[in-house]
Every structure is written in C-alpha cells, then in structure tokens.
Amino acid sequence: MAIEVAKIELRSVQDASGFAACIRAGQFTADQVIAVIGKTEGNGGVNDFTRILADQAYRAVLHRHGKRSAEEVAAIPMVWSGGCDGVITPHATVFARNDRTGPAAKTRLTIGTAMSAELFPEDIGRPAMVEKVAAAVQAAMKDAGIDDPKDVHYVQTKTPLLTIDMVREAHRNGHDVACEVHESMGVSNGTTALGIAVALGEVAMPRAEQICRDLDLYSSVASCSSGVELTQAQIVLLGNRAGAGGRYRIGHSVMKDALDIDGVYDSIRNAGLELPARPRAEDLAGRVVNCFMKCEADRRGTLRGRRQIMLDDSDVPWHRHAKAAVGGVAAAAIGDPAVFVSVDAMHQGPQGGGPCIAIVDAGE
C-alpha cells in the first residue's frame, strides 16, 4: 500500500477548499486519507482555537466526500500546530494510502498510526506518560510495517496539556500535577519526546527527576505538539520500508541551532536526494514536498557566541521569536515558506536546536 502526499495552503483559518480540490482532481479519495499534519495562524498557545477550526474544516470535507462514518473520520489523526510567525505560510500536509505496490528493492515512505492509553492530568511530566507514549509508538511501528527503529525518521504526536479544569479534576481525585497550566505545553511535549526516544532505543527509560530537566536526553525524530483537543497521545509515525510502493521517501537530521541551514539540507540528503556540497534552494528541483522541524530558544541565552534576548523579551514571547527565525532559515533553504515549524522542543534534538525531517519525491 503506497502513500500519497500533498501540501495544501490554507487561505483562511477554516479553508479546506484546496483539500477538496485534491479529492475532486483524483489525487486521492477522501476515504484514502489517513493523516493530516498542519500549521494554523493562531497564537500557538493554550487558547489557540485555530487548531480546532482547521480540524473541523478538514474533517467536514472527509464527511462530505467520503463514505466513512462520523466515528471513523473522528479517529483519523490530524495534528495541527498553531502559530505562523514570520514568513511561515499556513498549510496542511495530507497523507493518503492507495493500493499501489512497489518493488522490494526500493524503500519508500510508509506510515503507521496509534493512540495511547488515556493520559491523566497527573501523568503529564511523569514516567507514566513516558511509558504510555512508548507503548503507542511501538504500536505505530507495527502498523507501519517497520521492524528496525533505524527506519523511523519522524514521529509526530499530539498530546493533552493542562487546563484549570483538568488540574481541579486531578485534585478532586487525590492527585497533584507536575507543573503549572502555562508550563504544561512544553512539559507535555518534552515528556512525549522521551517516550518516543525510549520506544526507538535512543535513550534508556529516564528517572522521574530527569524528565524535562536533563536536556542531554533527546530524540532525533520526535516532533511533539500538545493542545486541548484530546486526552490521549495521538501518534503519526513515518519511515521507509522496502516494497512500500509510491514515489516518496523520508529522512531526518538535526539542526544544531537556529541558524543551522546545513541541518535542513542534511535531512534532504538523508531522504535520498543528492545535493552539492553547498546547496541552494534551486538545487532541489522542486522535489522536496515539505520539511518539518522543532525549535526553541537556547536556555543559555546565546547563539554562536552572541547574546540573545528571546528569553528576556516581555513584549513578544520567546516561542514567537524562535519560530519566526527558524521558519526563515527553513524557507530560505527549500525556497518555500510553507514549512512546518513547531516550538517547545524540549527533549527533541539538542538544546537550542531540534529535529529536521524532509519528505522528498524520489520518483517512480
């Protein structure tokens, strides 16, 4: 079963016209869609409801054009990351599975999905969440038909964060929580990343005191987002598998810091495209479908030896600075501002940097 990939611009928060156009044009059917990963133009915070609006619009298209039940459509993983700071264009990357096959000698993109056991408010930031996420990642690997963790290049997740109501629920049940509401987005992302790293053998099971503290522990393929939309870890796992069919391959690298444009090109090379020693966007020949990356302000307050003010700015939150900066670097690298850049990269790549994943058109 081959994977088809399409990148679709969002003309407004609730715009799904490009999605419907792909279906009408026959690029894929509504019932072949298995996952969506997108960027919306909200504030990227706890109360960013643009994620919910985009989600509703895309699921409505699947209802209107497909035959799946409401329950089946609701179960399709859709990971929406809010915040298109700087030059980033709101867009969605849609993944569909068709019945094409391919020769065993060629490795091509494959996708697996899974949902974790329910995550309770008191799990966030603690070993229980690491364990639940790790189990779900292993289930997604099985769903993708991948046996070797080295063939996994991207694990995109969506997990719950804390709200005031959730904190009150935990207290009513006799539990405390590991962090404050406004810290919970980063803590949820970081704990999830450790679950991915454990599942793929990148790190050993961390001790409770290492979670969101020991930043030398990280995954090179994790991209974790969180929001108010769900109470489980939603896993979308992408890798390469021999005989998968289709025309796409995936690769990954890490950006060592916010200026590491070579990290972007290294992910493209890892996906299988040959590039010159000092590449430019023109060298990609339109074969890069999209790049996905995580970033955050370096907690040491420096970048290549220079002082940074992201963490000191009281007017603009640091995550907006970081997202805009890395989005500009990535857009310049591939010549397209529709790039997926998400913040809160704790345990996702090295401190001050983050994973970078590329999907390329490898041809027939």
Side-chain angles (χ1 to χ4, degrees):
M1 304 291 283
I3 302 297
E4 178 64 29
V5 189
K7 181 161 66 175
I8 302 165
E9 183 175 336
L10 304 185
R11 297 177 182 176
S12 65
V13 175
Q14 293 180 284
D15 172 46
S17 61
F19 186 32
C22 287
I23 293 171
R24 288 194 297 269
Q27 185 171 355
F28 46 79
T29 71
D31 292 335
Q32 289 174 335
V33 173
I34 57 171
V36 177
I37 300 173
K39 288 295 300 181
T40 65
E41 61 203 75
N43 61 25
V46 173
N47 65 337
D48 184 350
F49 299 108
T50 65
R51 298 185 296 244
I52 296 175
L53 295 173
D55 190 273
Q56 290 174 339
Y58 265 61
R59 292 187 197 276
V61 168
L62 295 181
H63 280 295
R64 188 162 58 249
H65 292 276
K67 299 179 180 179
R68 285 183 282 194
S69 68
E71 293 75 17
E72 289 172 321
V73 169
I76 296 168
M78 292 193 184
V79 179
W80 298 97
S81 171
C84 288
D85 303 278
V87 299
I88 299 171
T89 298
H91 70 282
T93 304
V94 176
F95 301 89
R97 183 180 283 128
N98 58 43
D99 58 3
R100 295 181 62 189
T101 58
K106 291 185 177 180
T107 58
R108 292 293 186 265
L109 177 66
T110 184
I111 296 179
T113 62
M115 296 291 284
S116 76
E118 185 172 1
L119 292 165
F120 301 106
E122 61 269 21
D123 291 340
I124 295 174
R126 292 183 169 138
M129 185 174 186
V130 175
E131 292 169 350
K132 290 178 181 180
V133 169
V137 171
Q138 291 173 341
M141 277 184 64
K142 184 176 180 180
D143 186 55
I146 294 176
D147 298 318
D148 189 345
K150 293 180 181 178
D151 292 326
V152 176
H153 293 277
Y154 182 22
V155 183
Q156 177 65 58
T157 64
K158 193 76 175 187
T159 51
L161 45 71
L162 292 177
T163 64
I164 292 296
D165 288 340
M166 292 173 67
V167 172
R168 288 173 177 165
E169 177 190 352
H171 290 165
R172 282 195 300 269
N173 293 329
H175 302 289
D176 63 355
V177 294
C179 61
E180 298 295 330
V181 167
H182 285 286
E183 298 172 330
S184 67
M185 179 175 287
V187 171
S188 181
N189 292 351
T191 312
T192 302
L194 288 176
I196 294 167
V198 168
L200 301 180
E202 295 178 283
V203 302
M205 181 67 192
R207 301 184 304 276
E209 63 269 22
Q210 290 180 293
I211 297 173
C212 299
R213 292 181 178 87
D214 184 353
L215 300 184
D216 289 333
L217 303 179
Y218 63 82
S219 171
S220 296
V221 299
S223 178
C224 306
S225 294
S226 52
V228 297
E229 304 96 312
L230 71 178
T231 60
Q232 298 165 275
Q234 182 174 260
I235 312 293
V236 182
L237 180 146
L238 296 86
N240 296 315
R241 180 173 59 81
R247 56 187 302 121
Y248 302 99
R249 279 181 52 85
I250 188 168
H252 78 277
S253 184
V254 295
M255 293 180 71
K256 298 179 179 65
D257 60 32
L259 298 180
D260 187 13
I261 195 169
D262 290 331
V264 179
Y265 290 127
D266 285 344
S267 71
I268 295 168
R269 290 189 181 95
N270 190 245
L273 290 192
E274 294 186 6
L275 298 176
R278 303 300 296 173
R280 297 168 57 93
E282 292 81 2
D283 298 316
L284 306 179
R287 293 177 64 186
V288 174
V289 180
N290 207 357
C291 283
F292 307 81
M293 57 212 69
K294 293 291 291 189
C295 65
E296 79 177 14
D298 194 315
R299 296 172 184 228
R300 295 164 292 198
T302 61
L303 177 58
R304 301 197 180 184
R306 297 291 193 182
R307 185 171 72 91
Q308 296 286 286
I309 56 85
M310 294 184 196
L311 297 171
D312 295 319
D313 193 337
S314 297
D315 297 310
V316 180
W318 67 262
H319 62 83
R320 310 203 78 156
H321 283 286
K323 197 183 305 175
V326 173
V329 170
I334 70 171
D336 183 358
V339 289
F340 184 94
V341 182
S342 177
V343 291
D344 278 320
M346 195 185 306
H347 296 306
Q348 297 154 77
Q351 185 176 177
C356 182
I357 295 96
I359 295 176
V360 305
D361 186 340
E364 297 293 345

